[in-house]
Amino acid sequence: MLQNYLKLAWRQLTKNKLHSSINIGGLIVGFTIGIAILMVVYQQFSFDKFQVNRNRIYETYQVFNHPAKTVIENGFPMAQGPAYKAGAPGIEHMTRMLDGDNHIRYKGRDLSIPVMLVDADYFSMFSFPIVEGRQTNPLQNLNSIVLREDAAREIFGNEDPIGKTIKASTRDKMQDLVVTAVIKDGLATSFNFPALARIENISGYSSSSKDWEGRGMSLYVELKKGVTAREAEKQLIPIDRQHVPGWYDNLEKEGAKPDKYGDLWATRLLPLEDVHFSTEVNGHKAIGIGQILILLTVAVLIILIASFNFINISLAAAFTRSREMGIRKCLGAVKWKLFLQLWGESLLVCTISFLASLLLVNVLLNSIPSIEKIRIALSGVIGQPGFLLLALGLLLGVSLLAGGYPALMMTRFRIVETLKGRLNIKHKSPLRSSLIVFQFVIACIMISGTYIAWQQYRYLQNADTGIDKDVIVSVPLHDPAKGRETIEKLRVLLASDPHVVSVTGSNINLGRGSDHRTIKLGFGFTYKGRNLSTTAADVDYDYLKTLGIHPTLGRDFDKTYSTDTANKVVISESLARQLGTGDPIGQYLGADSSWSGWQVIGVFPDFHLYSLAEKQEPLMLLLDPHATPSYCFIRTTGHNTLATMSAIKKRWQPSSPARILMEALLMIIYTTGIRKNAPCRYPSDSPRSSPSCCPVPASWPWSC
């Protein structure tokens, strides 16, 4: 019987070629989009599901209950993690995560590969599959480094990486590290770091490890079995009160009110399963659950359009098969067998469309070079049992939705009327009319949504960010310790080039460049009894000139003024308005009994240093001769771009004794959100400090 049903289904498919082609074509489009989006959604919801101890791992964050608003911070000082592990009985393991640098050198080749600095407990907490090397605690030794598969291939090619020595940048220095393990890439995880080394390798770790005021790293803990998050949070309260009692005092003076747990300020724990979607704690590093639901809604709507199209065409063709149904009923066919036959025909159409869609999705993922990272991330999704069940459910659901109703209608035809060739529909079907209307409504919504999305994209491309982004070249400096020296050499070498206007540098990139990294530095200070806060950037000479910004008051940093390197700052107009003085030039910010403060020498118009998705914040520019700029910016005339880029590349090589790889890109930026790989935030009323994450002199009393 099954074989007979398949033959009949195939005959109907080949007999009505036009209807079959329309149905299959529509379903292929719907299935292709649905499967692609389902892969993305499944991958997003499967983040860190492979972690064996995921139910006991938590990200720590801190809540400051200010009178005006509640502030959430996820940056921690160096000493806090070890103190928690030693003082909280419920904590079994702990790891800090600190952004190192993006410079690795092997056999004279300089590569842009980010290095994350972690604790030895990292691989005791997280169960990343190790494909080569030491399986247990590969970061046991201080000189060890663990690479992801793609990073190992980029560095070593076909060589065996295990036991090889490479030079890697651990923030402010290059040092020899031995590759002890290679972990699998393409995993759905919030900790997708190309290289991992020990945090103790940073300069001055012995002194900075006692720091309780700087806020420059993420902190994760694993609780012991049977310990709840709330129990562990209670254990952290006395540790915080012991080491930073001044933070409680400041909040009490402000008039802060306790939260539901009775805390003015406390450390909280975020479950690992919530880390990926927690925009409140992790900002733009996380993905809002609403974005995933919007994607899922789009997929459902497109599949519904294809299904409704299938239903309407099948109903229109049903009347041509009325005699067939009548004869089958006369020969003794019962309704449920007719239904199975007709639904089987729909299932065959859906199956052909589904298989073609799987092939098309695979072709698309492997034929578009620009989505290589997406391809790697999604390549392992198709073979997972959970996704296969979802895909099978999608196939059966669409076949029942698209083919079930037409099959049910045809089984209800009256025998006598169908045999006489008369089939009268006495009542109009509100369902068929509704499907047509609903189909057009969905199409109008999708067209409108596409138009709005396109307008938003055009806005992001053409929005005024306050800088001449189209004529600025950003060059990541792979050796920030020699950053100012490199920038000055390049400034001299390009001085005679008519297409180069100016050269400068900074520790913060303009948007997210080729290294996909940026940081945010926040400063809090007191001015005339008021607590103020601002973002900050360490810059080199000609910074405003290179960005195409003209000071509205005062001046920019100038080499002719030797005192500009001594606590002078240039501030944005929004920060000047916060000061509340008519003319801020000459004013001192953050002065106290032990320090004269920063003197304002200029005011410039506000511009978007970060993504347009982020609120524009006040900005302070600093000129510290001891800072380590990570990026060089070159302003060009905008004419003959290719020749200018070639000239920069030629001049760049002799300016770098280590033959640093130049990765320069014309800055068409701000088209996407920016992930903050090294969040450095600091409450405006918190104790003043100079954490290791911020390239400012230790003598300065405030930092991120």
Side-chain angles (χ1 to χ4, degrees), residues 538-612:
D538 250 306
V539 301
D540 197 32
Y541 292 105
D542 296 331
Y543 184 78
L544 294 179
K545 177 182 177 181
T546 303
L547 270 56
I549 300 174
H550 302 284
T552 54
L553 291 174
R555 59 178 178 82
D556 192 4
F557 296 114
D558 194 329
K559 288 184 178 181
T560 59
Y561 293 85
S562 59
T563 58
D564 275 5
T565 58
N567 297 348
K568 298 293 191 294
V569 294
V570 182
I571 64 175
S572 65
E573 291 180 343
S574 57
L575 181 55
R577 287 192 295 269
Q578 285 189 15
L579 300 180
T581 58
D583 186 357
I585 304 301
Q587 298 292 320
Y588 286 86
L589 310 181
D592 59 19
S593 58
S594 61
W595 188 59
S596 61
W598 295 292
Q599 185 182 23
V600 179
I601 62 171
V603 178
F604 58 89
D606 287 85
F607 66 94
H608 287 276
L609 181 59
Y610 299 98
S611 167
L612 286 173

Side-chain angles (χ1 to χ4, degrees), residues 90-383:
I91 294 179
E92 183 172 0
H93 295 115
M94 171 280 307
T95 184
R96 297 160 291 183
M97 297 183 189
L98 180 63
D99 190 12
D101 209 338
N102 61 330
H103 186 197
I104 287 180
R105 184 180 302 152
Y106 180 68
K107 290 185 177 180
R109 294 186 303 121
D110 290 270
L111 305 169
S112 179
I113 299 177
V115 179
M116 182 61 63
L117 305 176
V118 298
D119 282 283
D121 279 354
Y122 185 86
F123 283 96
S124 299
M125 296 171 59
F126 301 106
S127 43
F128 290 95
I130 297 177
V131 296
E132 292 183 71
R134 182 184 297 172
Q135 297 292 319
T136 305
N137 199 4
L139 289 178
Q140 181 177 1
N141 299 323
L142 284 178
N143 67 335
S144 299
I145 187 170
V146 175
L147 301 176
R148 203 172 58 199
E149 281 182 302
D150 55 340
R153 286 192 298 268
E154 184 177 355
I155 298 171
F156 299 102
N158 295 324
E159 292 184 50
D160 181 7
I162 304 303
K164 296 288 195 311
T165 300
I166 62 175
K167 285 188 176 293
S169 177
T170 54
R171 293 190 68 81
D172 55 352
K173 64 178 180 179
M174 297 286 291
Q175 63 183 94
D176 292 334
L177 298 176
V178 178
V179 179
T180 55
V182 176
I183 59 177
K184 185 177 179 60
D185 62 359
L187 298 172
T189 176
S190 300
F191 316 101
N192 204 12
F193 308 127
L196 294 162
R198 290 282 293 273
I199 198 170
E200 293 90 341
N201 287 317
I202 66 172
S203 298
Y205 174 79
S206 58
S207 59
S208 60
S209 62
K210 301 179 179 64
D211 174 33
W212 269 89
E213 296 182 345
R215 308 176 63 83
M217 63 197 66
S218 301
L219 177 60
Y220 286 79
V221 297
E222 180 186 342
L223 304 185
K224 295 179 180 178
K225 292 182 179 180
V227 178
T228 65
R230 185 57 195 149
E231 290 173 349
E233 289 174 353
K234 291 179 180 178
Q235 295 172 5
L236 301 180
I237 292 175
I239 302 175
D240 290 335
R241 288 186 178 275
Q242 175 186 353
H243 293 280
V244 283
W247 289 24
Y248 291 94
D249 297 338
N250 290 340
L251 288 169
E252 287 180 349
K253 291 177 182 178
E254 281 188 6
K257 295 183 179 180
D259 58 17
K260 63 180 180 180
Y261 298 114
D263 298 317
L264 297 179
W265 167 74
T267 300
R268 302 279 185 240
L269 301 181
L270 179 70
L272 180 61
E273 62 182 8
D274 297 333
V275 168
H276 184 60
F277 296 109
S278 180
T279 55
E280 184 180 24
V281 174
N282 292 304
H284 291 286
K285 290 176 66 177
I287 295 178
I289 191 71
Q291 298 174 354
I292 303 301
L293 294 179
I294 289 174
L295 275 178
L296 196 57
T297 302
V298 170
V300 170
L301 290 177
I302 292 176
I303 291 174
L304 284 178
I305 290 177
S307 300
F308 293 164
N309 186 63
F310 188 104
I311 293 173
N312 291 328
I313 292 176
S314 298
L315 287 175
F319 303 107
T320 64
R321 303 183 63 182
S322 58
R323 288 186 178 180
E324 177 191 345
M325 296 298 105
I327 293 173
R328 288 183 179 277
K329 285 187 176 182
C330 286
L331 294 176
V334 294
K335 285 186 177 181
W336 70 268
K337 288 187 177 181
L338 288 176
F339 178 83
L340 284 179
Q341 177 199 335
L342 296 171
W343 174 61
E345 294 174 7
S346 301
L347 180 60
L348 178 61
V349 172
C350 291
T351 302
I352 293 173
S353 304
F354 186 80
L355 294 176
S357 299
L358 285 176
L359 179 62
L360 184 58
V361 169
N362 186 64
V363 170
L364 289 175
L365 285 177
N366 288 279
S367 61
I368 304 177
S370 60
I371 61 172
E372 175 66 16
K373 291 187 177 181
I374 298 178
R375 185 191 65 78
I376 294 175
L378 299 181
S379 59
V381 171
I382 293 181

